[in-house]
Amino acid sequence: MTTTSRHTDRTAHRALRREVPSTAAVLADERDFTAMRRYRTFPFDDHGSYLRQMEKLLRTLTAQGVLTTLSLFDPAAYETYCAELDLDPDRPESRTRYAAEAARTGATVTYEGEPLRSLLPLLVEEADRRAAWDHATALLARTGNCAECGTDLARAAFARATHAVQQLLASLGDGSHHLVCSIAADGPPLLAVLHATARDGAPPGLTETETLGFCTVLATGLALRAPGGIVARSTTAPTDRATTADGGRDTVRGWSLRDSWLRPLSTAEVFTAYCTDADTGEPVPPEHGVDYAPGLPLTPPPGTHDHH
């Protein structure tokens, strides 16, 4: 082979490499990393070093123009995957196959050269959102039809939840809003987060996947008549430099699920809910620069009634 031919082949190879995307599954925390160390062929013994080597590899691929999709490596799911396919979990090729499957079916983010430690929380958040959506969807699918009128309960609850979220955001008005919906359902509690920013009276900017997940979780609570609620933390732009030198104040409001609708909490109820440790039940000090306010009244959609 001539020198020119070899050069042409290398150039073609590099060009083709940029056309083939890559996937990587990362062990995000120390506990998952420790679980994988029981395998003899797992080549790392320090989580920090593992993350540095992973980031170095990702940066190299990005520099070569290769698009890399990042997912989470779940050791428990990996063990199940290997058992179902009769694979030896202590082989590198088994880990490779699972990484590809995790990227195909699980939560992913695209790596674009950022530090891995700043990207991992976003990946974990996306995985949590995906898990909550899957769980909520499964619960909604089991609600069936209303015994009295034949209405599809899941569809009716989702329409009701969408109406509630639209009305809630309109009531909150301008500002940056961080909404958390929590529902006590079968299994682990359902949690969904929604970020919205509205300015000058315009409709708030929303992310489609976040909005879908949030409305699905809320719809599950409405359909199952389960305990739960929404907390909204709103940041408004400063209007008086003398009183908002820290860049504006945050206002926290809350609603509880009752009779298949969102009922506003009082200021005292919001304060108690926000200033109580969810794990221990102990009170925690209120945050500086945060105001606690009652939830705003929300009107159920017209022409609807409660289905059982």
Side-chain angles (χ1 to χ4, degrees):
M1 180 182 292
T2 66
T3 301
T4 301
S5 297
R6 286 196 295 269
H7 175 74
T8 301
D9 286 346
R10 285 196 298 269
T11 301
H13 177 80
R14 286 195 296 268
L16 185 59
R17 183 67 188 92
R18 288 193 292 270
E19 300 286 339
V20 180
S22 291
T23 60
V26 62
L27 294 157
D29 60 42
E30 190 78 41
R31 183 184 62 181
D32 287 345
F33 178 83
T34 301
M36 291 301 294
R37 290 191 61 198
R38 70 177 181 268
Y39 297 120
R40 179 185 56 81
T41 59
F42 186 70
F44 299 96
D45 56 15
D46 176 75
H47 190 227
S49 174
Y50 161 81
L51 290 178
R52 287 191 294 273
Q53 291 297 322
M54 176 68 76
E55 183 172 313
K56 182 178 179 181
L57 172 62
L58 293 171
R59 288 183 181 274
T60 299
L61 291 171
T62 301
Q64 295 172 352
V66 177
L67 178 70
T68 303
T69 299
L70 203 60
S71 63
L72 289 176
F73 198 111
D74 183 335
Y78 171 64
E79 188 174 4
T80 301
Y81 174 80
C82 289
E84 290 176 348
L85 296 184
D86 196 25
L87 300 175
D88 181 356
D90 199 2
R91 295 184 65 87
E93 53 265 37
S94 298
R95 293 193 289 272
T96 300
R97 287 185 62 172
Y98 171 75
E101 180 69 9
R104 186 181 69 84
T105 61
T108 62
V109 295
T110 301
Y111 184 76
E112 296 179 339
E114 59 269 72
L116 194 54
R117 287 193 180 274
S118 67
L119 188 63
L120 287 180
L122 300 179
L123 181 56
V124 171
E125 182 179 306
E126 174 63 16
D128 289 344
R129 184 199 64 77
R130 179 78 170 264
W133 186 84
D134 287 345
H135 186 196
T137 301
L139 291 174
L140 274 177
R142 298 205 297 263
T143 57
N145 298 328
C146 177
E148 297 177 0
C149 65
T151 298
D152 184 322
L153 295 177
R155 187 183 299 273
F158 190 85
R160 198 173 177 87
T162 301
H163 179 87
V165 171
Q166 290 173 340
Q167 190 179 158
L168 194 157
L169 291 174
S171 299
L172 290 174
D174 286 356
S176 296
H177 309 295
H178 177 84
L179 280 65
V180 178
C181 179
S182 58
I183 303 295
D186 293 339
L190 292 172
L191 287 174
V193 176
L194 182 63
H195 300 88
T197 301
R199 292 187 177 89
D200 301 324
L206 298 170
T207 302
E208 182 178 356
T209 53
E210 267 195 1
T211 306
L212 177 61
F214 193 90
C215 289
T216 302
V217 167
L218 177 56
T220 303
L222 296 176
L224 300 180
R225 303 172 68 85
I230 291 178
V231 171
R233 180 167 179 155
S234 302
T235 303
T236 55
T239 56
D240 183 351
R241 296 182 65 87
T243 59
T244 57
D246 58 352
R249 295 184 66 84
D250 285 0
T251 301
V252 175
R253 302 180 186 273
W255 296 259
S256 65
L257 264 63
R258 192 161 60 245
D259 298 329
S260 295
W261 190 244
L262 291 171
R263 308 298 175 183
L265 297 177
S266 67
T267 301
E269 288 173 323
V270 172
F271 181 88
T272 299
Y274 209 78
C275 297
T276 301
D277 188 292
D279 295 324
T280 66
E282 296 294 320
V284 296
E287 292 184 57
H288 173 71
V290 174
D291 297 323
Y292 301 91
L296 302 168
L298 304 174
T299 305
T304 63
H305 61 278
D306 199 11
H307 298 280
H308 298 274

